[in-house]
Amino acid sequence: MSFPRPVLRSASRSVFAAAFRVRAPIRNATAVRYNSSTPGPAKNNSLVYAAVGLALLGGGYYYYSSNIVKPKPAALSKPFVPTYEDYKKVYNKVADSLDAGEYDDGSYGPVLIRLAWHASGTYDAKTNSGGSSGATMRFMPESGHGANNGLDIARNVLEPIHAEFPWISYGDLWTLGGVCAVQEMGGPTIKWRPGRADADASSCTPDGRLPDGAKGADHIRDIFYRMGFNDQEIVALAGAHALGRCHTNRSGFEGPWTFAPTYLTNDYYTLLLNDKWHWKKWNGPAQYEDDKTKSLMMLPADMALVKDKNLKKYVEKYAKSQDAFFEDFAKAFSKLLELGVSFKPGQEYWEFPVSS
C-alpha cells in the first residue's frame, strides 16, 4: 500500500530526531574518549542507536498506516433481473404504439401478430431449430423470405421500444408484442413468459417453413405437423385471419378477411362457412371473394379448411361459439410462441391486463 509522501517524510523526521535526542545525553555523560582502536562500548552504542532509530521508524510507520483512512473497494453492481412489472411496462408501451393513423385500417396490431407468428412458426420439431428464440428475422436471408415481406414495418414499430428497454431480447419483445396486439384488439388473454435468447445470422432458418396461402390441406398439415400441432390447433390458429388484410406488394393477394379487421372475433369462421364465395376475376394470384359485397377475400388455404372433412368440423365448432374459439386459440397461440424455447424449470406464466 502507498502513502502520501509528506506523511512519510514527517514521520521519518520525527523518528530520527527522537533517535538523536536519545544519543546526545549518552555522549555527554561519559568522560572516556575513544578512538577507532580503543576497545570499549562506542561501537556497540552505535548499533544500539541504529536499532532504536529503526524501531522508532517502524513504530511511526505502523502508527500512520494504522490511522490513515483506507478507501473501501467499490461495490460490485448486481446484474439487472427484470420483474413482472418491468415486462408490464413493455406491454403498455406496445399498447400505446398500436394506433397507426393512416396505416391500413388504423392499427399496427395485425402486423405485430403476424411478426410474432412468423418469428415462431419457423420451428422444426425434428431438428429442434427455428422458433421465436433467436429472433433471426433481423438478418438476411430470413428477413428477405417471401412470407416475411412487410414485416419490417412491425419490427420498426417495436424498435424504439427495444431502445427504451434494451434489456429485453428481441424474441421476447416480438412475442410479447403479439400477445399485446391480440388482447388489445378484443381477443382472449394469452399466457406468456420470458426467456428467449437472441441469436446471430448463422441461426437463420431456411425458406419454406411458413404456410403458403395458395396451397391446400396437405401443405397446411405438413407445415403445422412439423411444428407439433394437430388439426384442431391448425384451425384455431387460422382464426387470426379475422385480423388484418393482404397486400399485393407483399403476398400478391389483396383485401381483408372480415368486415372488422382490427377486432378479433369468430367472424372468420362464420363468413368462411356461411357466405357464398367465388374466384375473383383479376390479374393477381388465385383468391376468393364474397358474393354479396365483393369486398372480402379468402385464400385457397382458407377454403381448404371447409373442403377437408376433419378440418371443417373445427370450423363449425368455432363458428357456433366464440368462447370455444377464444379458449382454443389462447392455448394454441401461447404454444406457438414457445416452440423451441428453453425456459427455466418451473418458470411461471404471466398474464397482462388490457391497458385500454
Side-chain angles (χ1 to χ4, degrees), residues 11 25 35 52 109 123 140 149 157 160 186 193 210 219 250 259 271 279 283 289 291 296 315-316 337 349:
N35 56 37
V52 172
Y123 181 67
M140 289 293 288
N149 287 342
V157 168
R193 52 184 174 169
L210 294 169
H219 167 77
R250 301 177 196 176
F259 294 108
L271 291 168
W279 290 107
N283 294 326
E289 68 178 6
D291 287 358
L296 301 180
V315 175
E316 293 171 336
L337 301 184
Y349 283 94

Side-chain angles (χ1 to χ4, degrees), residues 55-140:
L56 290 172
L57 177 61
Y61 178 86
Y62 175 79
Y63 173 79
Y64 281 99
S65 65
S66 300
N67 287 277
I68 291 176
V69 178
K70 301 175 183 179
K72 296 181 180 180
L76 297 176
S77 59
K78 296 181 180 179
F80 175 69
V81 180
T83 64
Y84 169 85
E85 293 300 324
D86 293 309
Y87 287 101
K88 184 178 178 182
K89 292 177 183 177
V90 177
Y91 177 100
N92 290 338
K93 280 289 182 179
V94 176
D96 291 340
S97 302
L98 293 182
D99 188 354
E102 299 298 321
Y103 175 77
D104 272 6
D105 301 289
S107 175
Y108 287 120
V111 75
L112 292 186
I113 294 174
R114 183 168 166 247
L115 173 64
W117 209 115
H118 285 213
S120 306
T122 58
Y123 181 67
D124 183 344
K126 290 182 179 179
T127 61
N128 193 32
S129 62
S132 61
S133 191
T136 49
M137 200 195 300
R138 292 172 292 148
F139 310 108
M140 289 293 288

